[in-house]
Amino acid sequence: MELRDRILEAAAQVYSETGFRGATTRRIAERAHVNEITLFRHFGSKTRLLHEAIQCASSSTPCILPAQSANPRAELRIWALANHREMFERRFLIRTAMGEMEERPDIFPMDRSQAVCAGLELKAYLERLQTEHLIAAEIDLRAATTMFMGTLFADAISRDILPSMYPDPPEISVDQYLDLFARALALKEPSS
Amino acid sequence: MELRDRILEAAAQVYSETGFRGATTRRIAERAHVNEITLFRHFGSKTRLLHEAIQCASSSTPCILPAQSANPRAELRIWALANHREMFERRFLIRTAMGEMEERPDIFPMDRSQAVCAGLELKAYLERLQTEHLIAAEIDLRAATTMFMGTLFADAISRDILPSMYPDPPEISVDQYLDLFARALALKEPSS
DNA sequence: AATGCAAGCAAGTAGCCACTTGCTTGCTAA
DNA sequence: TTAGCAAGCAAGTGGCTACTTGCTTGCATT
């Protein structure tokens, strides 16, 4: 089904740009090069179409941190870059959905969002490192996780809006964040 | 002029809740307990009204870090809490305005926003500490500033949406962030 | 060749939108 | 007492909205 996917993609795009109210069926149909009526025949209503489109557009295959950590710093770097990239690519959708969270809390499943799942995974990974004494025992890993995820999240959704605050490309910024993060955690490399 | 301020406040509220398109003149008038026509007589058009309302609602008196730092940790704590509080109280406006940044970039002056100004001030403060050798010389203060502001910002605009990620009250969370931040900077207290 | 289905087109419905006009009410200052 | 002004009220305008109906076109299968 090529047409159905084209509609869903167009709907997600238009929603990301203009929000629920701005995403008129006419605009979506134009973007998908499809007759407006086709939308209703396929999805019944604008609400159902947008729900499905957003669900599709926000689903992703998470980047997984390894269970056995050989090189924490390098592993964290790959993971952080992948997660930053995911969020950055979806920044329009994330910003719009967050702005409409009060009015339409159900349209974007925030509880199982990229950021939350990634945060849980990072925390589990850091806890493993802590039991291996590669991270100082007195560190509060929940706060550390929240801090690092918050840094990545803020970067991903703000860097195109505030270029003066984010002059470096993501690869360099993420490296800098990791430098500071490793210092905060007193992160050691495994001695194996 | 009590009436004018009442209209501006109502407009900012309705905008924060429903965005530009959702902030209809009828809803604003109802919220302000004012006839719809009064809006047009005072502000000419919906666009001009919302512009002025958002400008008013986003203006604030910044909390200033001292030029002479006696107790950096305590000073940073007060400053971070004040800034977090400012952003948290405006979270609805910030989220809505960010979501509409693509469509209406001029409605919210992001360049001179709370977060950006605060970031510049924090950086200047940290640079002073670095020249006094209270912060390790090899630290990249721009990255550190971006990281800390990103943490505060993400906390302020996400904590009501993701309660599972932010179980502690702001006072405790900010303390934890500062613990980690001080470790990352290798922050020393002045010896005097 | 006949059938059925997916999609397009034209037209229309009821409702909300920003904004306007004409007129009335009530307060305040000369 | 009068003049002027700020605000309310009633009604309406043209435009956009989601969504519907009736009909036609074109392609694929039988």
Side-chain angles (χ1 to χ4, degrees):
Chain A
M1 275 295 156
E2 188 216 343
L3 180 127
R4 198 182 161 86
D5 292 341
R6 220 171 62 219
I7 294 175
L8 285 172
E9 200 184 320
Q13 272 182 28
V14 175
Y15 171 80
S16 300
E17 292 166 12
T18 62
F20 190 91
R21 257 178 273 256
T24 66
T25 50
R26 180 175 306 183
R27 257 197 277 250
I28 295 170
E30 278 172 7
R31 183 72 62 97
H33 301 292
V34 152
N35 194 287
E36 195 177 344
I37 303 166
T38 307
L39 306 186
F40 293 99
R41 281 207 265 252
H42 272 262
F43 300 95
S45 75
K46 164 181 162 171
T47 302
R48 273 204 290 275
L49 164 58
L50 282 180
H51 254 86
E52 194 168 331
I54 291 167
Q55 198 112 4
C56 279
S58 63
S59 73
S60 61
T61 48
C63 177
I64 290 176
L65 280 163
Q68 293 285 352
S69 43
N71 187 345
R73 176 60 203 266
E75 288 157 8
L76 281 170
R77 188 182 129 83
I78 290 174
W79 178 87
L81 268 174
N83 272 281
H84 180 278
R85 190 196 170 110
E86 283 266 2
M87 289 190 286
F88 182 73
E89 280 170 357
R90 291 178 218 283
R91 64 195 184 278
F92 302 105
L93 178 60
I94 294 171
R95 288 197 294 242
T96 302
M98 279 193 83
E100 300 191 337
M101 196 54 78
E102 304 307 312
E103 233 183 329
R104 268 170 265 276
D106 51 324
I107 211 171
F108 194 81
M110 206 68 178
D111 305 338
R112 44 183 95 164
S113 71
Q114 179 77 10
V116 175
C117 297
L120 291 174
E121 213 208 329
L122 175 60
K123 184 163 163 252
Y125 179 82
L126 295 179
E127 279 166 353
R128 262 176 269 137
L129 293 181
Q130 202 172 40
T131 60
E132 296 171 26
H133 305 291
L134 298 176
I135 290 178
E138 71 271 23
I139 303 284
D140 183 333
L141 289 186
R142 197 175 58 200
T145 302
T146 307
M147 189 164 187
F148 194 70
M149 286 309 303
T151 303
L152 280 188
F153 174 78
D155 180 313
I157 70 163
S158 308
R159 82 160 38 233
D160 62 332
I161 294 178
L162 297 173
S164 68
M165 208 165 171
Y166 297 94
D168 299 316
E171 296 79 24
I172 291 179
S173 292
V174 167
D175 257 341
Q176 294 170 334
Y177 301 150
L178 271 177
D179 277 340
L180 290 158
F181 194 49
R183 282 174 163 274
L185 299 180
L187 179 66
K188 290 190 278 280
E189 295 298 313
S191 53
S192 78
Chain B
M1 277 291 157
E2 190 215 342
L3 180 125
R4 198 182 161 86
D5 292 342
R6 220 170 63 219
I7 294 175
L8 285 173
E9 198 183 321
Q13 271 181 28
V14 175
Y15 172 80
S16 300
E17 293 167 11
T18 61
F20 190 92
R21 257 179 274 257
T24 67
T25 50
R26 180 175 305 180
R27 256 196 278 248
I28 295 170
E30 278 172 8
R31 183 73 61 97
H33 302 291
V34 153
N35 194 287
E36 194 178 345
I37 303 168
T38 307
L39 306 186
F40 293 98
R41 280 206 265 252
H42 273 261
F43 300 93
S45 74
K46 165 181 163 172
T47 303
R48 274 203 289 274
L49 164 58
L50 281 181
H51 255 86
E52 194 167 332
I54 291 168
Q55 198 113 5
C56 280
S58 61
S59 73
S60 62
T61 49
C63 176
I64 289 176
L65 280 163
Q68 293 285 353
S69 43
N71 186 347
R73 177 57 204 264
E75 289 157 8
L76 281 171
R77 190 182 127 84
I78 290 172
W79 178 87
L81 267 173
N83 272 282
H84 180 278
R85 190 194 171 111
E86 282 265 3
M87 290 191 285
F88 183 72
E89 279 170 358
R90 291 177 218 282
R91 64 193 183 279
F92 302 105
L93 179 60
I94 293 171
R95 288 197 294 242
T96 301
M98 280 193 83
E100 299 190 338
M101 195 52 78
E102 304 307 311
E103 233 183 331
R104 270 170 263 275
D106 51 324
I107 211 171
F108 194 81
M110 206 67 178
D111 305 339
R112 43 183 93 163
S113 71
Q114 179 77 9
V116 174
C117 297
L120 291 174
E121 211 207 331
L122 175 60
K123 185 162 163 253
Y125 179 81
L126 296 179
E127 278 166 353
R128 262 176 270 138
L129 293 181
Q130 201 172 41
T131 60
E132 296 170 26
H133 304 291
L134 299 175
I135 289 178
E138 71 271 23
I139 302 284
D140 183 333
L141 288 185
R142 196 176 57 201
T145 302
T146 306
M147 190 164 187
F148 193 69
M149 286 308 305
T151 303
L152 280 187
F153 174 79
D155 181 312
I157 70 163
S158 308
R159 80 161 38 234
D160 62 333
I161 293 178
L162 297 173
S164 69
M165 209 164 170
Y166 297 95
D168 299 316
E171 297 78 24
I172 292 180
S173 292
V174 166
D175 257 341
Q176 293 170 335
Y177 301 150
L178 271 177
D179 278 340
L180 290 159
F181 195 49
R183 281 174 164 273
L185 298 180
L187 180 65
K188 291 190 279 279
E189 295 300 313
S191 52
S192 76

